[in-house]
Amino acid sequence: MSVVHLNGEYLPADEARISVNDRGFLFGDGVYEVTPAYHGRIFRWGQHLARMRKGLKTVGIDFDAASLEGVNRELLARNGLETVPVACVYVQVTRGIAPRTHAFPDPPVPPSVYGFAKRFDRPAREVWERGFRAITVPDQRWALAEVKAIALLPNCLAQQAAVEAGVRDAIFVRDGIALEGSHNNLFAVFGGVVTTAPLTNYILHGVTRDLMIGLAGEMGLPVEERAIPLRELYRADEVFFTGTTTEVRPAVEVDGRTIGEGKVGAVARGLYDAFLAVTGS
């Protein structure tokens, strides 16, 4: 039985209870963060903390997110995940419990904090080497996609479309521009140039995205942050996704169109190997 964190307590998951008046339940009024741990080492906590702090400030939830580092460590320990190769800790903060009305509670109520940890199993290398497939979907999300809001219905619909199409990923397209995946950032390679969407309010400011840009630079690969029209994405030499629970995932087909030579490219493979080395996993 997994152990979860709920408002300062650690208890078995089936004993955790959240009020039906919690604004996270009623409105999706909250933000979350997913942080990886490699052999018990929380990875890039400072960046995950900064992103959650920014999200909380943007939506106006008053909560000291610094306390979540201890929650992350305690959840790993209580669930026996300190020695596994890869684990992930999910923590969300909602605006709290209050009668249902659209405006914020006045006076404010204490936020609700929930978290859990689980093992992450990456695909076997032979599966990874075959590459994956993706489809595109219209981007129907709100205009603050850089906030990791718990209201993820458009993302869920996009990923379900991928499941029904028998592929691994869905790519959001807005005004003809390929932005990012339903739960990960999008990269493409054109003539050796590693390309990804610029940091705007329409994409998640990914921690793994930032790492990939840095690793590409260390490998001597030019990086360009610019809009990627969908018609151009189809002609890319390589396409791959990055994220905490994606790591580096190459796509060899998008919308039934073969990407490059239809096999995992050298750039994605090199970045994945560099990623494994950096994380020690």
Side-chain angles (χ1 to χ4, degrees):
M1 177 63 65
S2 64
V3 174
V4 303
H5 174 274
L6 182 60
N7 296 329
E9 294 187 80
Y10 294 91
L11 64 166
D14 64 356
E15 295 180 15
R17 300 289 183 270
I18 298 174
S19 170
V20 294
N21 284 322
D22 191 278
R23 288 179 62 93
F25 174 73
L26 292 172
F27 293 113
D29 185 0
V31 299
Y32 75 100
E33 192 64 39
V34 182
T35 307
Y38 299 94
H39 299 286
R41 179 172 60 93
I42 298 175
F43 191 66
R44 295 203 158 195
W45 168 247
Q47 287 182 266
H48 286 280
L49 172 61
R51 186 167 63 183
M52 175 160 258
R53 279 176 164 163
K54 183 178 179 180
L56 289 166
K57 182 178 180 180
T58 299
V59 302
I61 295 177
D62 184 12
F63 176 75
D64 181 11
S67 63
L68 297 178
E69 181 176 10
V71 172
N72 274 249
R73 297 187 186 283
E74 191 68 19
L75 283 170
L76 290 170
R78 289 181 181 249
N79 287 284
L81 298 172
E82 293 177 300
T83 60
V84 302
V86 192
C88 292
V89 182
Y90 173 98
V91 178
Q92 73 173 41
V93 180
T94 76
R95 202 173 304 277
I97 301 168
R100 188 186 186 281
T101 183
H102 286 70
F104 298 169
D106 185 17
V109 297
S112 298
V113 183
Y114 167 69
F116 67 87
K118 66 178 183 179
R119 183 178 182 133
F120 174 73
D121 294 313
R122 60 170 61 105
R125 187 64 187 243
E126 60 268 23
V127 174
W128 188 94
E129 288 286 351
R130 291 198 293 268
F132 302 86
R133 297 181 297 151
I135 59 170
T136 60
V137 297
D139 188 358
Q140 302 180 73
R141 300 170 298 167
W142 70 329
L144 291 177
E146 85 275 22
V147 176
K148 286 185 74 73
I150 63 174
L152 290 172
L153 184 56
N155 304 69
C156 293
L157 293 173
Q159 193 58 34
Q160 182 60 27
V163 169
E164 293 175 3
V167 304
R168 191 63 177 267
D169 289 286
I171 300 169
F172 284 122
V173 176
R174 179 185 292 265
D175 298 327
I177 303 299
L179 292 170
E180 62 179 347
S182 63
H183 59 284
N184 40 33
N185 290 118
L186 175 69
F187 283 80
V189 181
F190 301 98
V193 179
V194 180
T195 308
T196 192
L199 292 180
T200 69
N201 57 297
Y202 287 114
I203 74 163
L204 180 67
H205 298 189
V207 174
T208 309
R209 172 192 179 278
D210 180 68
L211 173 61
M212 288 303 111
I213 291 173
L215 290 176
E218 292 174 12
M219 294 167 60
L221 297 170
V223 177
E224 187 174 5
E225 296 180 64
R226 64 168 176 84
I228 305 174
L230 178 58
R231 63 181 183 277
E232 187 178 357
L233 183 73
Y234 291 143
R235 301 194 299 268
D237 300 316
E238 299 183 39
V239 170
F240 59 91
F241 300 88
T242 67
T244 294
T245 57
T246 299
E247 299 188 325
V248 180
R249 184 157 64 230
V252 297
E253 179 185 295
V254 176
D255 287 340
R257 303 172 187 235
T258 300
I259 299 299
E261 298 180 355
K263 59 184 181 181
V264 177
V267 173
R269 184 177 292 108
L271 286 172
Y272 188 42
D273 288 340
F275 172 83
L276 294 177
V278 167
T279 59
S281 61

